[in-house]
Amino acid sequence: MRVTLFDYGAGNIHSLAKALATASGADVRVQTDPVKALDTDVLVLPGVGAFGAAAARMEPGREQMRQALEQGLPCLGICLGMQLLFESSEEGEGRGLGLFKGRVTRLRAKHVPHIGWNSVEEDSALKGAKLDTVYYAHSFACRAEEPEAVVGWTSHEEDRFPASVRRGKVLGVQFHPEKSSAAGVKFVQAFLREVAP
C-alpha cells in the first residue's frame, strides 16, 4: 500500500513518515506537489504549520485534491491537516478543501495553545480502535456546521470542539496520533486497514 504525505513545507514530516511506516509497513512517500500527491492509495495531510501557508501550497491542486477525496481516495488529516479539510480559517488567508462545512477559529480559552494529553469523548471514528486520551498541540479548532460529521469531541477549558470528523474514507483528527503512544499507533493502523485497497 502506498501512503503519501503531502508536504506543505512545515517540517516534522519525516518523524510522521517514520511513524506511519512503522505502524503500517506501507510504502510511505513525501510529495510537495499537490497533484502528484494524489497518485497514491492513501493521502495524509500532516499536522504542523500555519493554515495560510499550507493552503497556498495546496492551491494549485486544490480542486483536483477535493475531487479525488470526493471520489473515494482515502485521506487522514492530522491537526492542521484536519483544518485544511474545512472551508477557511481565521488563522490565515486561503481556502481549505471545503470537504466539511465550517470555519476554523482560535480556541476560546484563556490558555492557548492547547498542548498536552486530553480526552476524546463520544469517539466513533473507527471500529476497534477506540481512543481515550491523546496528544494535542494547537491554537485553532474546527467549528463544524454539520454535527453528523463529528465522530469525536474534546474540550479545552470551556471550549468544546471536534476531536475528529469523518465522511466516508476521509478522517480528520485534531490530535496527533503519531505522538499518542501505542493507542495512537493502533488508531493509524486501524484506519489504514479499514481503507486499504
Side-chain angles (χ1 to χ4, degrees), residues 34-35 38 57-66 97:
V35 177
L38 303 176
R57 292 288 285 270
M58 188 174 67
E59 185 59 34
R62 193 181 80 83
E63 279 307 314
Q64 294 97 315
M65 192 174 283
R66 180 188 163 104
L97 291 167

Side-chain angles (χ1 to χ4, degrees), residues 17-85:
K18 187 176 178 183
L20 284 163
T22 302
S24 64
D27 175 14
V28 179
R29 303 165 185 190
V30 176
Q31 179 56 255
T32 57
D33 183 307
V35 177
K36 289 179 181 174
L38 303 176
D39 180 22
T40 189
D41 298 314
V42 181
L43 176 67
V44 176
L45 302 177
V48 177
F51 187 95
R57 292 288 285 270
M58 188 174 67
E59 185 59 34
R62 193 181 80 83
E63 279 307 314
Q64 294 97 315
M65 192 174 283
R66 180 188 163 104
Q67 285 174 8
L69 299 188
E70 285 178 337
Q71 291 166 5
L73 177 67
C75 177
L76 176 62
I78 298 171
C79 196
L80 172 61
M82 169 174 159
Q83 295 172 9
L84 288 165
L85 296 171

Side-chain angles (χ1 to χ4, degrees), residues 129-147:
K130 295 289 181 193
L131 291 170
D132 181 34
T133 304
V134 289
Y135 190 82
Y136 293 85
H138 64 115
S139 300
F140 292 81
C142 300
R143 310 300 176 181
E145 292 177 12
E146 305 161 293

